[in-house]
Amino acid sequence: MTVGETHAETGAGAPPQVLDGPFSTRQLLRIDEALRLADQGTGLVFSVYVGGLDEPIREHAGRLHRQLAEPDRSVLIALSPNQRQLEIITGRYARKRIPDTYAKLAALSMVASFGGGDLAGGIIQGLDQLASHAGKG
């Protein structure tokens, strides 16, 4: 879901809640573009969740992933900056194209960017790497 879709769902008078997060409008637009390119380039559905994650972290991320419209074809990047936690969840079909080894490599790259203070850049880089590993669908 893009920022614009969220805005349409909340109504014209209420700005999307996503703008209250850790990203500037420009960063949100860059993340949105990276999501769109990853989706179009692979035929998979990529999503990003940034916020608090309940313990156990992996299970909470899995629940979020199962709530997506097409969980089997979906890849979720779940990130909690305050907890310093990152999970990449792939659906059954998506996992065939992005094995855990490649997801871990993307996660390591993302964590390096996060450590340098570039949250948006790390997400964009991770999306690009995951999409590159998945290839065309």
Side-chain angles (χ1 to χ4, degrees):
M1 177 180 298
T2 67
V3 174
E5 289 170 329
T6 302
H7 185 65
E9 289 177 10
T10 59
Q17 292 178 334
V18 72
L19 294 178
D20 294 335
F23 303 109
S24 68
T25 301
R26 181 174 179 190
Q27 289 171 323
L28 285 172
L29 291 172
R30 288 179 54 221
I31 292 169
D32 189 58
E33 178 70 4
L35 284 165
R36 187 184 64 73
L37 291 173
D39 288 356
Q40 288 179 345
T42 64
L44 298 175
V45 181
F46 287 82
S47 298
V48 175
Y49 169 86
V50 179
L53 293 165
D54 298 332
E55 295 286 343
I57 301 293
R58 181 90 178 155
E59 288 180 20
H60 186 195
R63 286 192 306 273
L64 292 171
H65 181 266
R66 287 189 296 276
Q67 293 174 7
L68 297 172
E70 296 182 71
D72 285 344
R73 300 183 61 77
S74 295
V75 178
L76 172 67
I77 297 173
L79 172 65
S80 177
N82 293 339
Q83 293 169 287
R84 302 178 64 94
Q85 295 289 327
L86 169 67
E87 291 288 341
I88 299 175
I89 308 291
T90 53
R92 189 178 357 206
Y93 176 75
R95 191 172 306 115
K96 292 177 183 176
R97 298 187 41 209
I98 305 173
D100 288 346
T101 304
Y102 291 116
K104 288 177 185 176
L105 289 172
L108 287 173
S109 176
M110 293 170 70
V111 167
S113 290
F114 300 158
D118 189 5
L119 196 61
I123 291 169
I124 292 164
Q125 184 175 13
L127 286 166
D128 181 59
Q129 287 182 339
L130 292 167
S132 293
H133 289 306
K136 300 217 180 273

